[in-house]
Amino acid sequence: MQNIDTYTHTRGESVYLDDIPVTRGTLYGAVCPSPSAHGIIRNLDIAEAGQMPGVVKILTYRDIPGKNQIGGIIPDEPLMAETKVHYHGMPLAFVVAETAEAAYAAVQKIRIDIDALPVITDPREAREKGELIVPPRTFRLGDSGKAMKECAYVISGTAETNGQEHLYIETQGAYALPVEGGHIKIYSSTQGPTAVQRHAADVLGISMSRIEVDVTRLGGGFGGKEDQATSWAVFCALAAFHLKRPVKYSLHRMEDMRMTGKRNPYSSDFTIGLDKDLNILAYEATFHQNAGASADLSPAVLERTLFHCTNSYYIPHVTATAYSCRTNLPPNTAFRGFGGPQGMFVIEAAIHKAAETIGVPATVIQQKNLIATGQQFPYGQVAVSEAAPCWKKAVDSYDANGMIREVEQFNSENRLKKKGLSFMPICFGISFTKTPMNQARALVHVYADGSVNVSTGAVEMGQGVNTKMLQVASVVLSLPVHRIKINTTNTYRIANTSPSAASATADLNGKAVEIACRAILDRLIEVAASVLNAGKADIHLQDERVYVSGQPSPLSWNELIQAAYIKRVSLSEHAHYATPGLHFDGTKEKGHPFAYHVYGTAVTTVTVDCVRGIYDIDSVKIIHDVGSTMNENIDRGQIEGGLVQGIGWMTMEEIVYDREGRLRSNALSTYKVPDIYSVPAEISLQFNETENDNLAIFRSKAVGEPPLMYGIGTYFALRNAIKAFNPSSNIGYSAPMTPEKVLMGLYSHRS
Ligand code: MTE
Ligand code: HPA
Ligand code: MOS
């Protein structure tokens, strides 16, 4: 089945925030951002700006009737600055005007006096100064200190990963409309409608029941709209509340890039210990997460870094500690993988460094230490592993040994071009790491004409979740898809939603749809049994008809619905799903946090031009663990898209803040993202299909985030090519591997 959005997407008819027809009297907002990264506000003069043509009102924190607070995990983030600013771009005021142009013009006229304070942008410096968002956390298995002493090889090093701009095609924005009684309806481009509802209620000082949030779809979120869609929505709601007029704010790209947080950069230390047979016995890592100026989702991101710090390897002795460090950058946030990729990069760096030091290929260490079913992750969950099968299939189906020989052959014949090859196994836990978030609800109505309407808490952001929800209803009710409509996501229909995130949206909401549809189906079968004088067990539905003992009956779906209505049987159901079996004890850092894990292996080959430092990605060949896919088109799209986004993070996307905490890579001219020319010349993809029971919807494993981590393979393939040219290169483990960095690596030498 194709994605149901493809038709309207290709015709330009899909509705995003900016396509909602505006109501008469709509006003436009713009944020006045802090011009400095850290300081004390001496004066904020809005008098002249307030006199500008078209300006209706300028809101500051003084206009907040409720709480000036939008922190999701920790209440440490004001909607608007009061006495201090903590990052460049932090909102100081919200200008509301008759047009967007008038609002932006007035922003320029606001006078701000700030006494500068020292700016921290480096997470290690923040840690030294005691600037931590939350206390550090340590995951422990066995006794790594003792085990290190027994190792034949002990290798230490550092690894760095930079941030990543989400670059959703649709920028952040919201549209709020006043409703009678001082209530507000908000259209928001958010992954978390309930977060918007909750914070709007807190800021306005009214109850959540008076705030309706509605989402049709997003032009991409990638984690950037899990928490950070909230402020714009709350600004609009606040203005609509005061002015009793609709208020819209749709950010310009440069505003969005400058004011929003990104993937958390990490600076990490590692020590890895192996025995003489190359078994990894011990691993120690210290992670310094650059959280930015407030917590946002960083504490949860930090936790997932620890969960994934051993990637798909079994290591019996592990000590991993993570620090969430407060800096004067915009608060960093969720980004596809949610801290997992940052942790996985470090163990891969450790293995590669060990391999180089010992003088064996990294693949030998990687393969030897893949986690097997029954072995334990450092947090106590026991693996049901597809790591080795995926690796083996990659070797067999793609003739990886032949590829390795070709690379060696090429490198022996070419002096100024070198190829590199890498294997990248992945392992990603599915479930929100915060156990209570693993719940969802669905509301299904069958109308009297036999058509069906489905609401869930799932937000469509291009990942195809609406199509999967439709498939669930269609399969359970045995109805063709054209009879089923998936609704917008709305907090008045579905309450207390978890954000669409953690790759778990289809599983959580899909299970709720399945339960709701089955409940309705059970009632319908009872009606059919009584109408047809048959046993319930003999009845099934197929192609919009009731079948009895495998034979079509005269009763059609529409007639069955009519019969149920006449008999006053409910044709609606609201269902709740909570993932079973999850638990986690934060005091011990042990438990069973994930419903299941997703595995896979990517084999990447690259060619480096050793004169210029530029490179091509020749091929990425993937075996991906889908369980049993329910939609091959969508899963392929997610895997290819995730891979390319991961390659972007690892190779070309380079976020640069200056010492004053100002974003220099603030436009697409200075921030390079993968385009069609940067996509690998060949992407091969095969599914590892399994029969085991898992907790995925229709056994079709979550696919949103895990493929991003295949991109890490490109980094190491490039590194291997550099080493083939210059074995004594002193190139470290610092991503992204830009062409500049490749060039330096080609001609640098270890001292
Ligand atoms: N795919 C598209 N096209 N657009 C997106 O914004 N977000 C990713 C992933 N794939 C995203 C995407 C992220 S960060 C997550 S967590 C999942 O989709 C969320 O959706 P799911 O839970 O339905 O997989
Ligand atoms: N993943 C993504 N988003 C989240 C998570 C998670 O584990 N926890 C809270 N928000
Ligand atoms: Mo995805 S980072 O969990 O929105």
Side-chain angles (χ1 to χ4, degrees):
M1 183 181 172
Q2 69 179 21
N3 188 318
I4 52 170
D5 276 355
T6 49
Y7 183 78
T8 50
H9 278 3
T10 47
R11 292 166 60 96
E13 291 171 357
S14 297
V15 170
Y16 299 87
L17 184 86
D18 249 354
D19 302 306
I20 298 169
V22 290
T23 305
R24 188 151 45 94
T26 292
L27 299 170
Y28 295 83
V31 159
C32 171
S34 168
S36 75
H38 195 198
I40 296 163
I41 303 170
R42 287 292 164 218
N43 191 26
L44 185 75
D45 180 358
I46 57 173
E48 190 190 346
Q51 298 306 309
M52 295 279 289
V55 172
V56 177
K57 190 164 175 69
I58 300 178
L59 299 161
T60 67
Y61 74 91
R62 292 195 171 85
D63 299 296
I64 291 174
K67 283 184 249 157
N68 181 19
Q69 186 49 245
I70 55 162
I73 296 179
I74 298 171
D76 69 346
E77 189 178 357
L79 177 69
M80 286 183 270
E82 295 189 10
T83 55
K84 281 180 85 180
V85 292
H86 297 281
Y87 65 92
H88 206 281
M90 181 174 179
L92 294 167
F94 189 62
V95 177
V96 188
E98 297 290 345
T99 64
E101 291 72 18
Y104 284 116
V107 165
Q108 301 300 321
K109 298 289 180 192
I110 294 178
R111 297 229 179 79
I112 308 146
D113 282 330
I114 290 175
D115 282 352
L117 291 170
V119 172
I120 301 178
T121 58
D122 174 51
R124 290 187 191 250
E125 185 188 340
R127 180 189 162 193
E128 274 161 26
K129 297 196 166 137
E131 290 287 342
L132 297 182
I133 299 272
V134 284
R137 289 177 67 173
T138 298
F139 279 23
R140 229 178 240 111
L141 182 66
D143 182 343
S144 65
K146 189 160 159 262
M148 284 293 179
K149 296 199 185 89
E150 287 152 24
C151 288
Y153 309 102
V154 175
I155 293 99
S156 296
T158 62
E160 314 268 338
T161 49
N162 201 337
Q164 187 175 20
E165 164 63 42
H166 298 87
L167 219 95
Y168 22 66
I169 294 177
E170 179 195 33
T171 56
Q172 303 267 6
Y175 185 31
L177 297 101
V179 183
E180 72 167 8
H183 310 171
I184 305 284
K185 174 164 187 174
I186 307 172
Y187 294 98
S188 165
S189 179
T190 180
Q191 292 173 240
T194 294
V196 168
Q197 182 192 23
R198 175 183 144 209
H199 291 295
D202 280 353
V203 169
L204 299 189
I206 63 177
S207 66
M208 285 172 77
S209 62
R210 285 150 208 269
I211 307 260
E212 176 183 6
V213 180
D214 193 276
V215 185
T216 301
R217 66 164 65 68
L218 316 188
F222 305 109
K225 296 171 181 171
E226 183 175 337
D227 238 30
Q228 299 210 355
T230 299
S231 52
W232 330 109
V234 176
F235 278 123
C236 291
L238 180 65
F241 186 76
H242 279 296
L243 302 170
K244 307 264 183 294
R245 286 175 69 179
V247 179
K248 186 174 166 180
Y249 184 24
S250 171
L251 275 69
H252 286 178
R253 177 65 65 186
M254 277 175 90
E255 280 183 288
D256 187 309
M257 290 180 82
R258 170 165 143 196
M259 291 197 281
T260 63
K262 313 184 186 313
R263 181 189 292 285
N264 296 89
Y266 276 63
S267 178
S268 311
D269 301 316
F270 61 80
T271 301
I272 189 168
L274 301 89
D275 69 12
K276 62 176 184 359
D277 300 322
L278 303 179
N279 296 302
I280 306 173
L281 293 187
Y283 180 59
E284 293 174 351
T286 307
F287 301 99
H288 301 93
Q289 176 198 56
N290 191 334
S294 57
D296 194 275
L297 290 163
S298 290
V301 171
L302 189 83
E303 177 173 74
R304 199 175 268 278
T305 302
L306 290 170
F307 281 120
H308 295 315
C309 72
T310 54
N311 189 12
S312 51
Y313 307 107
Y314 171 65
I315 307 179
H317 302 279
V318 176
T319 308
T321 300
Y323 295 86
S324 184
C325 309
R326 192 190 303 277
T327 59
N328 297 111
L329 299 181
N332 288 314
T333 193
F335 197 131
R336 207 172 194 167
F338 205 77
Q342 290 96 319
M344 286 157 66
F345 180 82
V346 180
I347 183 76
E348 291 302 320
I351 290 175
H352 279 79
K353 185 157 188 185
E356 266 169 40
T357 311
I358 300 166
V360 297
T363 49
V364 174
I365 301 176
Q366 289 173 305
Q367 184 178 9
K368 184 147 203 162
N369 291 281
L370 291 173
I371 194 162
T373 296
Q375 289 177 325
Q376 223 186 84
F377 291 102
Y379 46 92
Q381 184 162 344
V382 173
V384 178
S385 180
E386 291 298 324
C390 288
W391 183 288
K392 186 172 182 313
K393 275 184 199 157
V395 172
D396 296 345
S397 335
Y398 298 129
D399 183 24
N401 292 324
M403 288 168 68
I404 292 169
R405 278 194 301 276
E406 271 172 43
V407 167
E408 282 166 0
Q409 172 93 24
F410 180 95
N411 286 349
S412 69
E413 289 166 0
N414 290 275
R415 218 168 75 75
L416 295 178
K417 281 203 166 175
K418 294 290 178 191
K419 283 190 188 290
L421 178 146
S422 75
F423 271 61
M424 180 65 202
I426 62 155
C427 168
F428 196 79
I430 302 302
S431 285
F432 286 95
T433 55
K434 191 174 170 196
T435 301
M437 292 176 80
N438 296 289
Q439 54 170 311
R441 280 151 294 277
L443 176 65
V444 178
H445 296 308
V446 181
Y447 290 97
D449 68 353
S451 64
V452 176
N453 186 291
V454 176
S455 296
T456 74
V459 171
E460 175 62 54
M461 52 186 134
Q463 88 279 39
V465 72
N466 280 356
T467 304
K468 288 186 173 178
M469 296 306 97
L470 186 61
Q471 285 182 269
V472 173
S474 160
V475 167
V476 176
L477 298 174
S478 308
L479 278 184
V481 293
H482 70 86
R483 303 221 59 186
I484 304 165
K485 150 93 181 139
I486 305 293
N487 249 324
T488 62
T489 317
N490 186 297
T491 56
Y492 277 181
R493 279 190 297 270
I494 302 292
N496 309 319
T497 61
S498 291
S500 285
S503 305
T505 317
D507 283 358
L508 296 172
N509 293 277
K511 294 270 187 180
V513 173
E514 186 180 13
I515 294 167
C517 291
R518 284 206 196 287
I520 293 172
L521 185 67
D522 279 351
R523 293 198 287 269
L524 290 175
I525 285 178
E526 199 156 318
V527 171
S530 96
V531 170
L532 296 169
N533 248 321
K536 270 174 68 177
D538 297 332
I539 290 190
H540 83 274
L541 284 150
Q542 192 182 312
D543 305 329
E544 298 181 79
R545 180 150 305 276
V546 178
Y547 279 61
V548 182
S549 306
Q551 296 303 311
S553 80
L555 195 62
S556 71
W557 166 265
N558 282 4
E559 289 159 346
L560 174 61
I561 300 306
Q562 275 301 317
Y565 177 77
I566 305 260
K567 283 178 177 287
R568 297 187 288 169
V569 168
S570 168
L571 290 168
S572 297
E573 186 75 15
H574 179 264
H576 171 83
Y577 175 75
T579 316
L582 303 182
H583 56 89
F584 193 73
D585 180 347
T587 62
K588 300 193 174 76
E589 304 286 24
K590 298 279 180 202
H592 188 102
F594 298 118
Y596 56 89
H597 290 83
V598 173
Y599 296 85
T601 298
V603 187
T604 304
T605 51
V606 299
T607 306
V608 172
D609 173 336
C610 301
V611 177
R612 278 168 281 207
I614 57 177
Y615 48 78
D616 290 315
I617 305 168
D618 304 325
S619 65
V620 180
K621 302 184 181 186
I622 294 170
I623 303 290
H624 187 79
D625 166 33
V626 289
S628 166
T629 180
M630 69 183 281
N631 192 314
E632 185 173 341
N633 286 327
I634 286 174
D635 287 358
R636 279 188 172 272
Q638 285 292 295
I639 294 164
E640 290 176 6
L643 165 71
V644 172
Q645 200 164 33
I647 290 174
W649 174 52
M650 280 286 115
T651 63
M652 66 181 73
E653 297 186 40
E654 191 170 32
I655 290 183
V656 180
Y657 287 100
D658 64 19
R659 273 200 209 107
E660 282 76 51
R662 209 167 354 157
L663 182 69
R664 307 319 304 238
S665 51
N666 64 354
L668 289 177
S669 52
T670 46
Y671 186 77
K672 176 91 180 107
V673 288
D675 57 18
I676 192 69
Y677 300 104
S678 357
V679 170
E682 179 192 349
I683 298 177
S684 298
L685 172 57
Q686 289 178 28
F687 292 162
N688 176 64
E689 299 249 7
T690 48
E691 296 300 316
N692 340 344
D693 216 0
N694 57 35
L695 288 169
I697 181 69
F698 290 175
R699 295 197 300 106
S700 179
K701 283 188 172 184
V703 71
E705 293 165 288
L708 180 128
M709 283 144 272
Y710 293 133
I712 297 173
T714 301
Y715 179 93
F716 288 99
L718 286 168
R719 209 173 175 288
N720 290 341
I722 294 165
K723 284 282 178 177
F725 177 79
N726 172 9
S728 76
S729 168
N730 78 352
I731 186 157
Y733 299 88
S734 165
M737 187 74 96
T738 57
E740 293 92 325
K741 208 176 275 170
V742 171
L743 193 62
M744 304 287 273
L746 288 166
Y747 296 98
S748 66
H749 291 276
R750 271 195 302 262
S751 47

